[in-house]
């Protein structure tokens, strides 16, 4: 706006145009004369140089110009017209301004309005003009100079230190070589000038190391390195810019020394730890093959996981055989010939047990008789025999038969009806048909010759019989017999048969019956299923391993990689022609164990390699890798049973058809004890000790036993009952005996809770019963983890009956926990039933009498409210009294009030016992509330029936207190 005004003023004056032109008076003429006079005074424009060069140091505001900023005006020394009033800078958002230092001399200065940063902009170029002060003090008619170019350079300050591009560097060298350059480090500087932004020098800070570095950051070794002397070197390196400012932080250079190249696998560990529940864990996450620049055309790798010494050949489920059969969907009716020893299955109690997985070891001197009735006498044409067997070569020059299972004559003769035995590392199954079935020459012996029978390893055998066809499954594979021998049927007889395991019973042809043909080896899970054969799917499930080799992400193996697993996934074979793809594929191989509580211990691993080279007779040899997986011990769960451990019920409930529910609120909780992290060091000043934190977990149970304590149940008057539908709905089984109830089968803890809450106890002669005690104990993994022993005591609430001929000196009030039922019996029967009361009943009555007497004496001392209170108390007692007391008169001796303060300690103790019993009665489980309510309703109805006698009874029970002092 100022520039436009200065340009237009002279033009308007020349044209005679003014604010008063066209108007009339002398005022207009005077203004025109003044403007003409001003134009004659300010005749020249200011003058400045055509270009300026300046320098400013960053973070400073003073610009040094060459030449200095000075404006001249030829109108000087005329005031205003010869003076310089302003320097104007043309440009957008420029951080500079020009100021006039002296109007007369025209001297000015250029300065920065805000801090200048060289790293943002190194130089500036703009236009500047000078303005004189015009013709008067009102800054009118200013004249401006020509435009001058100003070029300013920003001078850098060394404010930034060098920084390395990488925080750390790593290199690998081979021993015995001198390298010109092992690696190169590089630093940068953020300063803008070449002097301060360039790195002029590098330096190794670490002393006494055989390395040197040049000005370009190349590190070399100054002597030959030895792998045996030192495997790794760590050195610190710094950098300097050309202003000699060192780096803000040194960088770490790690140099690994490897021995002279030897073909083999690199970067693998000897021990691989496996935490239970980790899923699939890579075995060799960083492995690679070193071929020493050998021309390899293809390579084949075999990874073997050796687990033959773990349990039954590998980590398998350790539930009972029946539970495993049910988990795998096997048909029902399976008979376990080698069960865990118990009261019902005691024939295995004398056998040697090899481990907690119920593996039985036979040393050639033991056999077990299967009781009669366990297995049907005559097997049908279809049945299945299954077993786990570990067997080695037979001792001695001439091998004898080693019997696994044998059904022979118990006495008189020595005929074998069917048998399974090992002879000369051959498995033989004998099946002799009875004479009455067919009088023909029929197949009787089936022979299999397999190396696995004597390899001292665990194998799973299944013999499916569909006579005359017999098929052997070993580890899931099918084998037909190589030899079948025919024989005649057995002649009919009435000789009893004896089924044995581990040896054959020889009842005839000897002086004394005894075992013969003993087995040497280990057996487990020997079962027989009459009437049905097992399917291939069930067989595969029963022998499946829970651990093995695995491949993470098959899609990422890459092209050209072939792989193959054996059925148990303990052996993996991989093949490829590209070393990089082979390395990547081997890094994907992992170990997996799907058991929640795996068997802890070592699993050996062996990796062998076969290499083929291009057109060479001699190819490189890759050493085998021997490593192992250490499966860590799983944290043992603490299984806890909780619930009401004592309660009372009326006799009627015990004698009812439903009985009494024993465990209405039973709870099964499993927890793990895990270590808590140490406390905060800042707050305590020292690490707090680790404390155990209980963490609840869910897992399965396989059996819960309810044992009867204090003697077996009397089947003539008591029993334990459970609705079978409760079991079938939850896929569980149970056995019942006078010793207790056993619930078994693999199921969740909640399923077992639901079943236990339906166990009922009945006693249809509860008059003679005082109390019954039961104990529960649950198990996981066939007894590997067991719960606490939870004990429950149930008691019967007996009725209290009082004879009408007995003299009573105290007011008797029925205890609140006694729920008795009124029976309209004759007076003579009541008298007979109460002649010999139980000791507990007498103690209770005496205690109640003493307590009521104290209450009555207090009532006597309240004279004003005495009559009203007595009437209400008598009415309440009428509803509670359940015996026939129509002829009972209770007299209170007033003199007894003097004896009350002097009662003996025995009476006081009896009162305390009575109070404890009352408190215990309040703990009765809420599950019986329905039956209790029904009892109360029954009493209420009976009480209403007796109210017709209330007038007479009130007269009999009325207090006679006319002679009592108050």
């Amino acid at each position: 706006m100022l520039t436009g005004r200065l340009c237009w003023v002279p033009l308007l004056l020349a044209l005679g145009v003014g604010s008063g032109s066209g108007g009339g008076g002398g005022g207009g003429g005077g203004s025109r004369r003044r403007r003409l006079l001003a134009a004659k005074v300010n005749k020249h424009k200011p003058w400045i140089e055509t270009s300026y060069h300046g320098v400013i140091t960053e973070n400073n505001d003073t610009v040094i110009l060459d030449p200095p900023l000075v404006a001249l005006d030829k109108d000087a020394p005329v005031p205003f017209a010869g003076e310089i009033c302003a320097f104007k800078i043309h440009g957008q958002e420029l951080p500079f301004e020009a100021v006039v230092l002296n109007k007369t001399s025209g001297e000015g200065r250029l300065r920065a309005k805000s801090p200048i940063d060289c790293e943002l902009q190194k130089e500036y170029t703009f236009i500047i003009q000078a303005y004189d002060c015009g013709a008067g003090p009102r800054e009118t008619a200013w004249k401006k100079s020509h435009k001058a170019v100003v070029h300013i350079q920003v001078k850098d300050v060394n404010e930034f230190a060098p920084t390395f591009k990488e925080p750390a560097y790593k290199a690998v060298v081979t021993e015995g070589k001198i390298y010109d350059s092992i690696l190169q480090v590089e630093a940068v500087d953020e300063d803008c000038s070449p002097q301060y932004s360039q790195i002029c020098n590098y330096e190794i800070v670490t002393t006494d190391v055989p390395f040197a570095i040049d000005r370009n950051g190349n590190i070399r070794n100054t002597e030959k390195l030895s792998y045996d002397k030192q495997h790794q070197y760590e050195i610190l390196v710094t950098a300097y810019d050309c202003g000699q400012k060192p780096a803000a932080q040194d960088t770490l250079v790690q140099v690994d020394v490897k021995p002279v190249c030897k073909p083999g696998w690199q970067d693998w560990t000897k021990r691989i730890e496996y935490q239970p529940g980790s899923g699939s864990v890579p075995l060799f996450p960083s492995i690679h093959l070193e071929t020493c620049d050998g021309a390899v055309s293809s390579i084949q790798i075999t990874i073997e996981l050796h687990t033959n010494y773990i349990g039954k050949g590998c980590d398998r489920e350790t539930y009972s055989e029946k539970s495993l059969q049910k988990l795998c969907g096997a048909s029902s009716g399976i008979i376990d010939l080698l069960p865990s020893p118990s009261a019902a299955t005691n024939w295995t109690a004398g056998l040697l047990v090899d481990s907690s997985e119920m593996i039985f070891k036979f040393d050639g001197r033991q056999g077990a008789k299967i009781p009669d009735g366990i297995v049907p006498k005559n097997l049908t044409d279809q049945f299945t025999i299954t077993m786990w067997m570990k067997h080695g070569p037979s001792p001695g020059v001439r091998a004898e038969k080693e019997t696994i299972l044998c059904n022979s004559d118990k006495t008189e003769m020595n005929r074998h009806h069917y048998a399974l035995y090992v002879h000369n590392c051959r498995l033989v199954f004998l099946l002799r048909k009875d004479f009455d079935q067919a009088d023909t020459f029929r197949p009787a012996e089936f022979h299999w010759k397999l190396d696995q029978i004597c390899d001292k390893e665990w194998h799973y055998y299944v013999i499916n019989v569909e006579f005359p066809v017999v098929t052997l499954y070993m580890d899931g594979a099918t084998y037909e017999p190589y030899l079948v021998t025919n024989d005649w049927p057995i002649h009919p007889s009435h000789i009893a048969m004896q089924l044995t395991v581990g040896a054959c019973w020889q009842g005839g042809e000897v002086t004394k019956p005894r075992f013969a043909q003993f087995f040497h080896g280990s057996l487990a899970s020997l079962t027989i299923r009459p009437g049905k054969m097992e399917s291939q799917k069930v067989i595969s499930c029963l022998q499946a391993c829970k651990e093995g080799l695995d491949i993470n992400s098959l899609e990422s193996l890459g092209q050209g990689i072939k792989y193959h697993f054996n059925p148990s996934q303990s052996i993996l074979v991989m093949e490829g022609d590209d070393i990089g793809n082979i390395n990547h594929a081997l890094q994907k191989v992992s170990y997996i164990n799907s058991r929640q509580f795996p068997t802890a211990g070592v699993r050996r691993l062996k990796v062998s390699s076969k290499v083929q080279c291009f057109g060479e007779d001699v190819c490189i040899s890759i050493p085998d890798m021997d490593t192992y997986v250490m499966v860590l011990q799983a944290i043992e769960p603490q299984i806890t049973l909780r619930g009401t451990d004592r309660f009372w019920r009326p006799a009627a409930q015990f004698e009812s058809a439903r009985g009494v529910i024993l465990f209405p609120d039973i709870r099964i909780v499993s927890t793990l004890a895990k270590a808590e992290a140490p406390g905060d060091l800042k707050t305590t000043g020292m690490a707090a000790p680790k404390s155990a934190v209980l963490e609840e977990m869910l897992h399965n149970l396989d059996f819960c036993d309810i044992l009867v304590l204090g003697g077996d149940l009397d089947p003539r008057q008591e029993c334990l009952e459970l609705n079978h539908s409760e079991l079938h709905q939850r896929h569980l089984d149970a056995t019942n005996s006078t010793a207790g109830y056993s619930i078994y089968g693999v199921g969740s803890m909640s399923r077992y809770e639901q079943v236990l809450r339906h166990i009922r106890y009945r006693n249809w002669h509860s008059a003679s019963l005082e109390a019954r005690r039961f104990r529960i104990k649950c198990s996981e993994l066939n007894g590997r983890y067991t719960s606490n022993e939870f004990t429950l005591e149930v008691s019967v609430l007996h009725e209290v009956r009082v004879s009408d001929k007995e003299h009573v000196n105290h007011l008797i009030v029925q205890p609140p926990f006694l729920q008795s039922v009124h029976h309209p019996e004759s007076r003579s029967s009541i008298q007979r039933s109460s002649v010999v009361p139980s000791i507990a009943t007498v103690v209770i009555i005496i205690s109640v009498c003493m307590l009521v007497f104290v209450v009555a004496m207090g009532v006597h001392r309240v004279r004003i409210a005495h009559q009203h209170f007595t009437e209400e108390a008598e009415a309440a007692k009428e509803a509670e009294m359940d015996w026939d007391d129509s002829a009972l008169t209770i007299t209170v001796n007033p003199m007894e009030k003097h004896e009350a303060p002097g009662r003996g300690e025995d009476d006081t103790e009896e009162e305390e016992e009575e109070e404890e019993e009352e408190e215990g009665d309040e703990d009765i489980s809420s599950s019986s509330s329905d039956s209790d309510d029904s009892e109360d309703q029954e009493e209420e109805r009976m009480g209403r029936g007796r109210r017709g006698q209330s007038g007479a009874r009130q007269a009999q029970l009325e207090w006679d207190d006319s002679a009592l002092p108050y």
Side-chain angles (χ1 to χ4, degrees):
M1 296 298 294
L2 180 60
T3 305
R5 186 179 63 185
L6 294 176
C7 293
W8 283 103
V9 169
L11 182 59
L12 293 174
L13 292 174
L15 295 176
V17 179
S19 59
S21 62
S31 175
R32 184 166 53 251
R33 286 194 298 270
R34 283 193 299 269
R35 286 195 293 271
L36 291 175
L37 179 61
K40 291 180 180 180
V41 172
N42 191 10
K43 296 188 297 183
H44 300 93
K45 297 178 179 180
W47 176 90
I48 57 175
E49 298 286 346
T50 58
S51 63
Y52 293 90
H53 294 276
V55 175
I56 184 172
T57 303
E58 63 176 341
N59 301 324
N60 200 348
D61 63 347
T62 301
V63 180
I64 301 175
L65 286 178
D66 183 24
L69 183 59
V70 177
L72 302 177
D73 196 317
K74 293 182 178 180
D75 294 324
V78 178
F80 301 110
E83 296 174 348
I84 303 300
C85 274
F87 293 96
K88 302 295 183 181
I89 296 175
H90 301 283
Q92 294 181 354
E93 299 181 358
L94 291 172
F96 298 100
E97 63 179 359
V99 296
V100 178
L101 299 180
N102 193 317
K103 292 183 178 182
T104 304
S105 62
E107 182 181 358
R109 177 179 295 173
L110 194 62
R111 63 186 181 189
K113 294 188 294 185
S114 59
I116 304 298
D117 192 350
C118 178
E119 284 71 38
L120 295 178
Q121 190 169 343
K122 296 181 180 181
E123 58 184 20
Y124 297 87
T125 301
F126 51 86
I127 302 297
I128 192 172
Q129 283 182 297
Y131 290 81
D132 62 16
C133 294
R138 296 184 182 180
E139 299 182 358
T140 56
W142 280 16
K143 290 184 179 294
K144 59 183 178 180
S145 68
H146 59 270
K147 295 179 179 180
V149 178
V150 180
H151 181 75
I152 298 176
Q153 290 184 336
V154 182
K155 185 179 181 181
D156 188 21
V157 174
N158 195 3
E159 57 183 333
F160 293 100
T163 57
F164 286 93
K165 287 187 175 181
E166 300 292 337
Y169 295 84
K170 186 175 182 179
V172 180
V173 298
T174 303
E175 63 176 348
K177 290 184 178 181
I178 296 292
Y179 291 85
D180 293 334
S181 176
I182 297 174
L183 60 88
Q184 183 182 20
V185 298
E186 186 178 359
V188 295
D189 197 309
E190 296 182 6
D191 288 312
C192 64
S193 64
Q195 178 183 4
Y196 300 137
S197 64
Q198 293 183 359
I199 307 300
C200 285
N201 192 22
Y202 292 92
E203 182 180 308
I204 294 177
V205 179
T206 308
T207 59
D208 299 329
V209 290
F211 298 97
I213 190 169
D214 61 14
R215 299 183 63 179
N216 295 322
N218 294 303
I219 298 177
R220 59 183 177 85
N221 57 320
T222 56
E223 62 183 48
K224 294 181 179 180
L225 305 178
S226 173
Y227 178 80
D228 296 332
K229 181 180 178 181
Q230 191 166 345
H231 295 356
Q232 186 184 82
Y233 292 89
E234 291 184 348
I235 58 177
L236 294 176
V237 177
T238 189
Y240 295 90
D241 61 17
C242 294
Q244 293 303 306
K245 192 167 190 174
Q249 185 175 2
D250 301 335
T251 188
L252 176 65
V253 178
Q254 180 178 308
V255 180
D256 293 331
V257 182
K258 68 176 183 178
V260 175
C261 185
K262 296 177 183 178
W265 295 102
Q266 305 291 330
D267 295 338
W268 56 275
T269 57
K270 183 78 174 177
R271 172 189 172 105
I272 303 136
E273 290 190 352
Y274 184 83
Q275 185 69 40
S278 300
S280 184
V281 174
L283 296 172
F284 316 107
S286 304
I287 196 170
H288 67 277
L289 180 63
E290 178 61 66
T291 61
C292 298
D293 300 328
V296 176
S297 61
S298 66
I299 182 170
Q300 184 185 80
I301 306 169
T302 303
I303 305 107
E304 298 178 70
L305 179 67
H306 297 280
T307 59
N308 51 356
Y309 50 91
I310 305 294
K312 296 192 289 285
C314 71
D315 216 9
R316 292 182 167 91
E317 292 291 3
T318 56
Y319 293 115
S320 66
E321 187 62 24
K322 283 188 177 180
S323 297
L324 287 176
Q325 298 271 2
K326 198 165 187 177
L327 283 174
C328 290
S331 55
S332 58
I334 295 170
I335 303 170
D336 191 357
L337 301 181
L338 287 176
S340 302
S342 65
T345 58
N346 58 357
W347 65 85
T348 59
L351 299 179
L352 298 176
V353 180
D354 195 26
S355 71
S356 62
E357 300 180 18
M358 297 315 300
I359 296 173
F360 294 90
K361 188 175 182 180
F362 295 87
D363 56 1
R365 293 176 293 180
Q366 288 181 316
K369 293 182 180 180
I370 308 298
D372 297 338
I374 300 296
V375 179
K377 180 179 179 181
N378 294 319
L379 297 176
T380 62
D381 288 343
Q382 282 190 346
F383 61 92
T384 298
I385 297 175
T386 66
M387 69 175 177
W388 283 95
M389 184 178 73
K390 180 172 137 179
H391 181 264
S394 302
V397 178
R398 182 181 178 182
E400 296 184 355
K401 293 181 179 180
E402 299 180 53
T403 300
I404 300 169
L405 181 67
C406 180
N407 189 29
S408 60
D409 291 334
K410 185 178 290 188
T411 59
E412 300 181 20
M413 303 183 71
N414 193 28
R415 298 174 301 177
H416 295 185
H417 296 263
Y418 62 88
L420 180 64
Y421 60 91
V422 175
H423 190 209
N424 290 324
C425 292
R426 291 167 173 81
L427 187 66
V428 182
F429 177 65
L430 171 69
L431 179 62
R432 299 287 301 278
K433 287 293 183 178
D434 290 340
F435 190 89
D436 55 356
Q437 292 181 347
D439 188 11
T440 58
F441 208 52
R442 308 188 69 179
E445 284 190 1
F446 304 85
H447 298 250
W448 292 272
K449 184 178 181 181
L450 302 171
D451 295 335
Q452 291 88 340
I453 294 173
C454 289
D455 65 355
K456 297 182 180 180
E457 306 288 348
W458 280 103
H459 299 284
Y460 188 61
Y461 300 85
V462 177
I463 298 174
N464 266 349
V465 178
E466 191 173 15
F467 195 81
V469 178
V470 178
T471 305
L472 171 67
Y473 293 87
M474 189 193 69
D475 295 338
T478 307
Y479 296 90
E480 299 295 333
Y482 79 96
L483 176 64
V484 179
T485 304
N486 297 330
D487 202 348
W488 291 103
I490 294 179
H491 290 281
S493 65
H494 298 285
I495 302 174
M497 291 179 288
Q498 178 64 61
L499 182 62
T500 58
V501 175
C504 195
W505 183 252
Q506 190 172 1
E509 302 177 2
V510 290
T511 305
K512 183 180 180 181
R514 58 183 175 82
F515 283 114
Q517 301 175 2
F518 290 95
F519 179 73
H520 297 78
S522 297
L523 296 174
S525 305
L526 178 61
T527 67
I528 189 167
R529 170 62 173 92
K532 194 168 184 179
M533 297 191 306
E534 289 297 356
S535 64
Q536 178 71 43
K537 181 180 179 181
V538 172
I539 294 171
S540 299
C541 174
L542 290 173
Q543 63 94 31
C545 269
K546 290 296 182 179
E547 63 178 342
L549 300 173
D550 191 21
I551 296 180
N552 287 333
S553 179
L554 294 174
E555 295 80 6
S556 63
L557 280 183
Q559 298 180 352
I561 299 296
K562 301 177 182 178
Y563 67 93
H564 173 72
F565 283 102
N566 68 334
S568 62
Q569 288 197 205
S570 61
I571 299 176
L572 170 62
V573 179
M574 305 179 71
E575 186 176 354
D577 53 8
D578 182 81
I579 299 299
N581 289 341
I582 283 289
N583 292 337
H584 184 70
L586 191 54
Q587 293 169 5
K588 299 293 182 181
V589 178
S590 60
Y591 168 82
I592 188 171
N593 194 318
S594 58
R595 288 189 64 187
Q596 191 172 18
F597 305 105
T599 304
V602 172
R603 274 72 165 169
R604 291 194 297 268
L605 274 171
K606 182 179 180 181
V607 180
S608 55
S609 309
K610 294 181 180 179
V611 177
Q612 292 183 354
C613 300
F614 289 101
E616 295 184 6
D617 297 335
V618 180
C619 195
I620 61 176
S621 177
I622 306 298
D624 293 343
M625 278 196 308
D626 288 317
T627 180
Y628 64 92
V629 177
M630 174 57 74
V631 178
L632 303 178
Q633 180 69 49
I635 302 176
E636 294 189 3
Q638 301 294 325
I639 307 172
T640 306
L641 302 177
R642 301 171 183 166
T644 302
D645 58 358
R646 186 178 183 185
F647 62 82
W648 296 261
R649 291 291 183 272
Q653 290 192 21
F654 287 93
E655 298 174 3
S656 65
R658 294 288 299 172
V660 174
I661 296 177
L662 291 180
F663 313 104
D665 58 349
I666 192 73
R667 284 276 290 127
I668 305 176
V669 178
S670 182
T671 55
L672 292 178
K674 292 187 176 181
E676 192 177 29
D680 191 358
L681 297 179
K682 296 181 180 179
T683 57
T684 62
M686 57 181 298
K690 293 183 179 180
S691 59
V693 177
L694 295 180
E695 180 177 317
E696 189 169 342
M697 70 170 302
L698 298 177
H699 57 81
N700 292 328
L701 300 177
D702 53 3
F703 71 81
C704 282
D705 289 337
I706 300 100
L707 302 178
V708 181
L709 303 181
D712 291 351
L713 297 174
D714 186 354
R716 295 171 298 179
Q717 69 174 27
E718 57 182 342
C719 68
L720 289 174
E721 292 182 346
L722 179 63
N723 194 336
H724 287 284
S725 63
E726 300 293 340
L727 292 169
H728 296 158
Q729 290 175 5
R730 295 163 180 86
H731 307 287
L732 298 176
D733 295 313
T735 57
N736 191 4
S737 67
T738 58
Y741 220 107
S742 181
I743 304 168
Y744 59 91
V746 180
S748 64
M749 293 184 292
S750 62
R751 287 185 183 180
Y752 271 87
E753 282 181 358
Q754 294 166 6
V755 172
L756 289 173
R757 290 173 182 174
H758 288 83
I759 295 285
R760 304 186 306 277
Y761 171 66
R762 291 182 59 202
N763 191 316
W764 44 92
H765 295 294
S766 60
S768 60
L769 178 66
E770 291 297 333
R772 259 298 186 189
R773 296 172 67 235
F774 303 91
R775 177 176 294 166
I776 306 181
K777 189 174 184 180
C778 296
S779 157
E780 163 69 321
L781 294 177
N782 205 19
R784 180 177 173 185
Y785 304 114
T786 57
S787 70
N788 63 313
E789 294 182 347
F790 176 77
T791 303
L792 168 70
E793 180 176 337
V794 295
S795 302
V796 180
L797 294 176
H798 292 285
E799 300 174 0
V800 179
R801 301 178 182 180
V802 181
S803 173
D804 59 343
K805 296 182 180 180
E806 183 179 359
H807 177 70
V808 182
N809 291 328
H810 303 282
L811 178 62
I812 300 177
V813 178
Q814 182 183 8
F817 56 83
L818 292 179
Q819 301 184 19
S820 54
V821 181
H822 177 74
H823 297 281
E825 298 176 350
S826 64
R827 183 177 302 175
S828 60
S829 63
I830 296 176
Q831 181 179 359
R832 286 194 302 269
S833 64
S834 60
V835 169
V836 187
S838 64
I839 296 176
T841 305
V842 173
V843 172
I844 292 174
I845 293 175
I846 294 175
S847 301
V848 172
C849 291
M850 298 302 296
L851 179 63
V852 172
F853 177 75
V854 176
V855 175
M857 294 305 296
V859 172
H860 283 287
R861 292 180 175 87
V862 186
R863 183 173 184 179
I864 299 176
H866 171 69
Q867 185 63 33
H868 177 69
F869 174 78
T870 303
E871 293 174 356
E872 291 184 348
E874 291 301 321
K877 283 186 285 184
E878 285 300 321
E880 293 181 355
M881 301 293 279
D882 62 343
W883 53 77
D884 188 2
D885 54 359
S886 58
L888 179 63
T889 302
I890 300 175
T891 304
V892 178
N893 188 356
M895 297 301 294
E896 286 184 357
K897 89 183 193 69
H898 299 287
E899 299 175 4
R903 286 183 300 170
E905 295 179 0
D906 296 339
D907 296 339
T908 306
E909 291 176 359
E910 289 175 357
E911 287 185 18
E912 293 175 355
E913 292 177 359
E914 176 62 25
E915 292 174 0
E916 291 177 358
E917 290 181 8
E918 290 182 31
E919 291 175 0
D921 183 64
E922 294 176 1
D923 295 334
I924 296 178
S925 173
S926 61
S927 63
S928 60
S929 60
D930 297 337
S931 59
D932 293 342
D933 294 341
S934 63
E935 294 281 343
D936 295 339
Q937 294 172 4
E938 180 70 19
E939 290 181 7
E940 186 177 353
R941 289 194 299 270
M942 297 171 67
R944 286 197 299 267
R946 293 195 300 267
R947 284 171 186 165
Q949 305 172 356
S950 60
R953 295 179 62 180
Q954 272 193 343
Q956 294 171 352
L957 297 177
E958 191 69 32
W959 291 99
D960 186 6
D961 53 2
S962 58
L964 290 179
Y966 290 97

